[in-house]
Amino acid sequence: MSRPDERAAEQVAVWSDLPDHEPTHARVAGVDLVVVRYDDEVSVLYGRCLHRGVLLGDGHVEGQNLICCVHGWDYRYDTGISEYDNSEVLETFTAWVEADENAVLVDAAEVAAWAEDNPQPYEPPKAGDSDDGAVRGATDDIDGGSVTPEFYGDPD
C-alpha cells in the first residue's frame, strides 16, 4: 500500500517476527487491530469479529480468509470482505512495511479518525488479564452473564 505522511505512522509489528498467514493482534488509538502477513504483503484490519466482537488475532487463516476462532465467521485478509456474506466487511487501514526499520506501520491518523466515527465498547486489557482475547467480547450474552464459547465444528 502507499505510504502516507510519516507523522501518522505507528508501528504495529516487527516484520521479521510476523508469522506468514497467522493473525496477530495490535492496538492503535484504542482500536483493536489484526495484522496479517501474506508472503511479502501485509494487511491491517479492524481486529474484532462483527458477530460477537471476539479478537480476530486469536483466529486463524484458511486460504485467503481470516476465520474467527469462536463461531467461524470469515473475512478476506486482504479486503476485509466476508466470503460467506459480502455485506459483512471489516475496515481496512493503510499499512506498509518499512524494510530499513524491519517494521510494519499503520496510518494511526486514519485509525484514530475511524475510531471517532466508531466508538469502541471494549476496554484495553488490564494488567494480569489473560492473553487469550477469544473470550473478551464473546461473553456478554444473556442477562449480562458469562458464557464460555465453544468451538462449533472441526477446523479443516
Side-chain angles (χ1 to χ4, degrees):
M1 290 192 166
S2 62
R3 183 174 156 184
D5 185 349
E6 286 289 331
R7 293 170 294 167
E10 184 166 331
Q11 184 170 342
V12 291
V14 175
W15 178 246
S16 62
D17 292 344
L18 201 57
D20 196 30
H21 291 89
E22 288 186 32
T24 301
H25 177 263
R27 192 169 172 93
V28 172
V31 176
D32 291 302
L33 303 173
V34 61
V35 181
V36 180
R37 175 182 183 164
Y38 53 104
D39 305 319
D40 292 331
E41 300 290 326
V42 68
S43 286
V44 176
L45 306 100
Y46 177 57
R48 295 256 179 194
C49 180
L50 300 178
H51 178 223
R52 289 288 199 192
V54 174
L55 288 172
L56 291 169
D58 293 331
H60 65 279
V61 170
E62 288 181 15
Q64 293 183 316
N65 291 317
L66 173 61
I67 308 295
C68 176
C69 66
V70 175
H71 296 113
W73 279 40
D74 71 321
Y75 307 92
R76 288 280 304 257
Y77 56 72
D78 55 346
T79 64
I81 298 171
S82 170
E83 185 175 64
Y84 175 74
D85 179 354
N86 293 166
S87 70
E88 299 290 340
V89 181
L90 294 174
E91 186 70 22
T92 58
F93 300 101
T94 304
W96 65 100
V97 176
E98 194 64 55
D100 296 349
E101 299 173 23
N102 192 29
V104 176
L105 303 168
V106 68
D107 185 339
E110 182 182 354
V111 175
W114 183 85
E116 279 279 320
D117 294 335
N118 300 277
Q120 298 300 291
Y122 309 103
E123 294 294 322
K126 294 177 179 59
D129 276 355
S130 161
D131 285 340
D132 179 8
V135 176
R136 275 186 258 143
T139 58
D140 301 330
D141 274 317
I142 302 169
D143 299 325
S146 180
V147 175
T148 302
E150 295 177 349
F151 182 78
Y152 295 92
D154 293 322
D156 292 331

